[in-house]
Amino acid sequence: MTFYTSLRLGSRATVPRYSNKAQKSVASCYDNSFGVKAARLWNVLPKNVNCQTTLETFKAALGEFIVKFPDMPPVTGYTPPNNNSLLDWSSVGGKGVCA
C-alpha cells in the first residue's frame, strides 16, 4: 500500500488498481481484499485523525471520530440503512458524520 500527502485532506492511501476486464468473481475478491478495504477505510479518516504523529494521539483522535457514527447492529426483522460499516456511513451525506 502506498501513501501520499494532500494539503487539504492529509495522509491518503492509494487504492490498488483493478482491471475492468476481470470476471465478476474477481471483482468481488478485489473489493473484499485487505489492501482495498484498508485503503478505503484510511481515506475515510479526516485530516485531524490521519495526520497524528503518535499512536496515543492517533487513538484518541480516532475514538473521537468514530463516536460520531451511529452504532446500528443487525436486528432480526429490521432492515438497516446499510451494513453498519464506516465505508457505508461515509457515503451517506456529510462524510457519514451524524452530529
Side-chain angles (χ1 to χ4, degrees):
M1 191 176 329
T2 59
F3 292 88
Y4 64 94
T5 303
S6 164
L7 292 176
R8 186 172 62 88
L9 302 173
S11 175
R12 294 284 136 189
T14 302
V15 178
R17 292 187 178 266
Y18 169 72
S19 171
N20 293 345
K21 298 175 184 176
Q23 299 173 358
K24 285 207 179 258
S25 61
V26 173
S28 178
C29 288
Y30 167 82
D31 286 336
N32 292 320
S33 69
F34 175 79
V36 171
K37 290 276 189 186
R40 288 182 180 160
L41 281 168
W42 181 261
N43 290 339
V44 166
L45 299 176
K47 183 177 181 178
N48 67 322
V49 175
N50 68 28
C51 286
Q52 296 299 318
T53 56
T54 68
L55 179 60
E56 292 303 316
T57 58
F58 174 77
K59 288 174 16 179
L62 181 62
E64 291 173 12
F65 174 69
I66 288 177
V67 298
K68 296 177 183 177
F69 291 87
D71 185 17
M72 302 181 71
V75 177
T76 305
Y78 172 72
T79 305
N82 59 37
N83 291 326
N84 204 34
S85 163
L86 289 179
L87 293 174
D88 292 336
W89 283 115
S90 69
S91 65
V92 176
K95 289 283 185 192
V97 178
C98 300

